[in-house]
């Protein structure tokens, strides 16, 4: 039996390199996967199906409540339920103004996914969610106040939601990762950080092996900074 054998998983932000790597890893671990982004992530879904897995490419508008709810309902119909949600819509960065855009996409968009997923996850005996965020909230980063603040907002969101859904039997955790701009020289472990490294951490945290872990943060960053 594989790590996520029989799981039905939804991955948002699946058109990004990290989102695609996460969907591929979940499928490799035995999950059926619905991949979602503004444009259907057809290429990654095709890779999964060619390898013998089950995948559906879906389009939705991150930050839009109706679109997000429709995404979770459609995924549940296609997959026969939802056991796992991985949120990874990182939104715009840079430019001016950015505060509303960054918080709307990263914090509110993540909350909308978690809220829409809640009834589906509550029906699963292994329901859980993993939120992905850049590690800037732990490191601090000059010139990126909206992005750093949004990462901190996601940390608080995960902890609060974990309290709210605990009675459902649902777990919620966060995985932090290094952006490409992170100083690799600060890492305890040398070498490049790959999306597959983060995806493997997501799969482990989502699996039954972490079945009593909720409201926690796992930094998959090679030790560039600590939690």
């Amino acid at each position: 039996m594989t790590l996520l054998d029989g799981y039905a998983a939804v991955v948002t932000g699946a058109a990004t390199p990290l989102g695609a790597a996460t969907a591929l890893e979940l499928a490799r671990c035995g999950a059926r996967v619905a991949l979602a982004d503004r444009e259907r992530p057809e290429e990654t879904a095709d890779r999964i199906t060619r390898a013998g897995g089950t995948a559906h490419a879906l389009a939705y508008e991150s930050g839009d409540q109706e679109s997000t709810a429709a995404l979770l309902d459609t995924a549940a119909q296609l997959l026969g339920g939802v056991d796992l949600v991985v949120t990874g819509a990182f939104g715009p960065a840079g430019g001016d103004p950015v505060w509303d855009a960054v918080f709307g996409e990263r914090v509110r968009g993540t909350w909308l996914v978690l809220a829409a997923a809640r009834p589906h996850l509550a029906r699963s005996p292994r329901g859980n969610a993993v939120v992905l965020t850049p590690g800037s909230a732990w490191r601090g980063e000059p010139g990126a106040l909206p992005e750093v603040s949004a990462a901190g907002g996601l940390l608080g969101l995960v902890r609060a939601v974990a309290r709210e859904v605990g009675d459902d039997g649902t777990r919620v955790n966060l995985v932090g990762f290094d952006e490409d701009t992170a100083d690799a020289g600060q890492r305890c472990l040398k070498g490049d950080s790959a999306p597959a490294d983060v995806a493997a951490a997501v799969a482990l945290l989502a699996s039954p092996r972490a079945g009593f872990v909720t409201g926690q943060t796992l930094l998959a960053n090679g030790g560039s900074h600590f939690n």
Side-chain angles (χ1 to χ4, degrees):
M1 180 177 293
T2 53
L3 192 63
L4 299 173
D5 190 51
Y7 272 60
V10 179
V11 179
T12 69
T16 66
L18 179 52
T22 299
L24 290 167
E25 177 66 12
L26 298 182
R28 188 187 69 81
C29 291
R32 308 183 306 280
V33 187
L35 303 84
D37 215 308
R38 285 191 171 90
E39 301 293 332
R40 296 176 187 270
E42 298 281 4
E43 182 177 347
T44 304
D46 288 345
R47 287 181 61 185
I48 293 172
T49 55
R50 287 198 302 269
T54 299
H56 303 276
L58 303 173
Y60 90 113
E61 187 63 32
S62 177
D64 182 88
Q65 186 171 8
E66 291 186 4
S67 180
T68 303
L71 165 67
L72 269 297
D73 289 344
T74 300
Q77 292 174 2
L78 292 170
L79 300 173
V82 176
D83 303 300
L84 168 64
V85 171
V86 181
T87 68
F90 308 121
D96 184 38
V98 297
W99 282 91
D100 287 347
V102 169
F103 270 79
E105 179 84 8
R106 300 189 186 189
V107 181
R108 183 174 185 273
T110 297
W111 158 242
L112 289 176
V113 171
L114 296 177
R118 180 174 184 175
H120 299 287
L121 297 176
R123 287 192 284 271
S124 169
R126 51 195 177 185
N128 76 101
V130 178
V131 174
L132 294 168
T133 184
S136 53
W138 291 266
R139 184 177 62 253
E141 190 172 319
L145 288 176
E147 292 79 15
V148 174
S149 300
L154 288 173
L155 174 62
L157 176 66
V158 164
R159 291 173 174 175
V161 173
R163 292 285 187 189
E164 290 197 5
V165 303
D167 286 344
D168 298 344
T170 298
R171 302 186 297 114
V172 185
N173 292 290
L174 185 143
V175 171
F177 60 92
D178 273 348
E179 303 92 329
D180 291 338
T181 56
D183 185 1
Q186 298 297 317
R187 294 192 189 116
C188 300
L189 302 177
K190 305 308 177 186
D192 294 332
S193 175
D197 297 321
V198 182
V202 171
L204 178 62
L205 199 54
S207 76
R209 295 182 182 178
F212 206 58
V213 178
T214 192
Q216 305 303 314
T217 298
L218 174 61
L219 300 181
N221 59 15
S224 61
H225 48 281
F226 306 125
N227 185 27

